[in-house]
């Protein structure tokens, strides 16, 4: 059963599990379960995804229950009226605050502006030898993408040399392999923790938050971040 964070006559939001596709994809044709189908079966209503999350990303995912609501919410996303916040674990000690303004190229080869702001919440150094170092360093950050490009956060953090732990292909494969071999963990540490928007019908300001999953908690137990204070 999907965890439902919010539901009324117009909208429904879930805490998307890891490795669940939002919809059918020609890239993963062998996958037979996806969020649209699972949610539709669970609430017995047609649902329309308003935005997307990567297959490996967990967290708040919003759907419309009718096409009029879908159009209104799509407009709000396009006009950047919706606030999206993510938690991510990065390799290395990230800057205290930063705005990444770095254009990205989409699948069609077109360059698109892309803007991400983030702040570093906590840092951790653990006894995990890596390359020439006797320890490994990591940062827990809160990221706010101002635009919604494909793999934007993964690409932006890779661009500043602080890739998201567990990210493939926009990550550090050697670090990912080290965590898999040492701890048996391989999940991508990116979680859509908050979504804030104005309801398209009631005009009420809606603020949704999603808890992290067990895999994120397993990484957190090793790094000892006080993550609960941000959920």
């Amino acid at each position: 059963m999907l965890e439902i964070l919010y539901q009324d006559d117009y909208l429904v939001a879930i805490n998307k599990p890891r490795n669940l596709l939002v919809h059918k994809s020609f890239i993963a044709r062998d996958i037979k379960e996806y969020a649209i189908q699972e949610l539709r079966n669970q609430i017995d209503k047609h649902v329309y995804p308003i935005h997307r999350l990567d297959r490996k990303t967990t967290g708040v995912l919003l759907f419309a229950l009718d096409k009029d609501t879908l159009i209104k919410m799509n407009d709000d996303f396009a006009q950047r009226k919706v606030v999206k916040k993510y938690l991510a674990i990065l390799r290395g000690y990230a800057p205290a605050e930063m705005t990444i303004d770095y254009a990205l190229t989409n699948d069609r080869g077109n360059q698109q502006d892309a803007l991400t702001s983030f702040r570093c919440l906590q840092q951790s150094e653990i006894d995990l030898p890596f390359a020439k170092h006797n320890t490994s360093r990591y940062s827990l950050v809160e990221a706010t993408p101002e635009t919604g490009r494909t793999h934007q956060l993964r690409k932006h953090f890779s661009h500043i040399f602080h890739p998201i732990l567990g990210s493939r292909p926009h990550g550090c494969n050697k670090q990912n392999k080290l965590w898999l071999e040492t701890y048996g963990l391989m999940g991508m540490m990116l979680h859509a923790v908050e979504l804030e928007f104005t309801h398209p019908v009631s005009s009420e300001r809606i603020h949704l938050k999603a808890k992290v999953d067990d895999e994120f908690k397993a990484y957190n137990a090793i790094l000892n971040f006080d993550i609960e204070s941000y959920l």
Side-chain angles (χ1 to χ4, degrees):
M1 297 288 287
L2 296 170
E3 178 189 359
I4 294 179
L5 303 173
Y6 177 88
Q7 184 176 359
D8 61 20
D9 292 336
Y10 307 95
L11 297 165
V12 58
I14 65 168
N15 186 358
K16 188 187 84 65
R18 189 178 305 277
N19 294 323
L20 181 65
L21 287 169
V22 175
H23 52 70
K24 287 182 179 179
S25 170
F26 69 91
I27 298 175
R29 296 178 182 177
D30 57 321
I31 302 299
K32 297 181 179 179
E33 294 181 348
Y34 46 98
I36 293 176
Q37 176 195 52
E38 295 296 309
L39 183 58
R40 180 192 64 205
N41 293 342
Q42 185 169 323
I43 67 174
D44 196 26
K45 292 182 180 179
H46 285 288
V47 296
Y48 306 88
I50 295 170
H51 62 126
R52 304 289 190 272
L53 291 179
D54 292 344
R55 179 178 178 181
K56 297 178 181 179
T57 304
T58 57
V60 185
L61 182 62
L62 188 64
F63 296 82
L65 296 179
D66 62 80
K67 291 185 177 180
D68 287 340
T69 300
L70 176 65
I71 292 171
K72 292 176 183 177
M73 288 304 304
N74 279 342
D75 287 343
D76 281 358
F77 269 87
Q79 295 175 31
R80 304 181 186 179
K81 294 180 179 179
V82 178
V83 179
K84 299 171 288 182
K85 292 184 179 180
Y86 291 75
L87 290 178
I89 297 176
L90 311 182
R91 191 193 70 185
Y93 282 177
E97 291 186 3
M98 187 176 182
T99 296
I100 306 171
D101 186 356
Y102 178 68
L104 300 174
T105 303
N106 64 17
D107 293 338
R108 298 180 180 179
N110 299 322
Q111 198 170 65
Q112 299 174 304
D113 66 301
L115 192 67
T116 300
S117 298
F118 75 88
R119 63 188 181 103
C120 186
L121 303 176
Q122 296 176 44
Q123 295 177 332
S124 176
E125 184 172 9
I126 62 174
D127 294 327
L128 181 63
F130 179 66
K132 298 179 181 180
H133 306 285
N134 294 324
T135 61
S136 293
R137 294 177 173 181
Y138 304 92
S139 299
L140 176 68
V141 302
E142 178 189 82
T144 304
E146 303 296 332
T147 50
R149 310 307 181 197
T150 301
H151 297 169
Q152 177 173 316
L153 294 179
R154 296 161 70 175
K155 292 178 179 178
H156 269 180
F157 285 124
S158 179
H159 173 68
I160 64 168
F161 304 106
H162 291 289
I164 297 173
L165 191 57
S167 174
R168 299 174 181 84
H170 309 290
C172 177
N173 290 334
K174 291 181 179 179
Q175 269 278 321
N176 296 341
K177 182 181 180 181
L178 181 63
W179 273 78
L180 178 60
E181 293 177 346
T182 307
Y183 304 113
L185 296 172
M186 59 183 297
M188 183 174 70
M189 293 296 97
L190 181 61
H191 176 67
V193 66
E194 292 186 50
L195 192 69
E196 187 174 354
F197 58 93
T198 299
H199 195 284
V201 178
S202 69
S203 297
E204 177 186 0
R205 195 66 180 168
I206 306 295
H207 186 191
L208 306 177
K209 297 189 77 171
K211 297 284 188 179
V212 296
D213 68 356
D214 289 342
E215 187 141 13
F216 207 113
K217 289 178 182 178
Y219 277 85
N220 188 67
I222 295 166
L223 296 170
N224 201 31
F225 289 132
D226 179 21
I227 198 170
E228 288 298 323
S229 58
Y230 307 107
L231 300 175

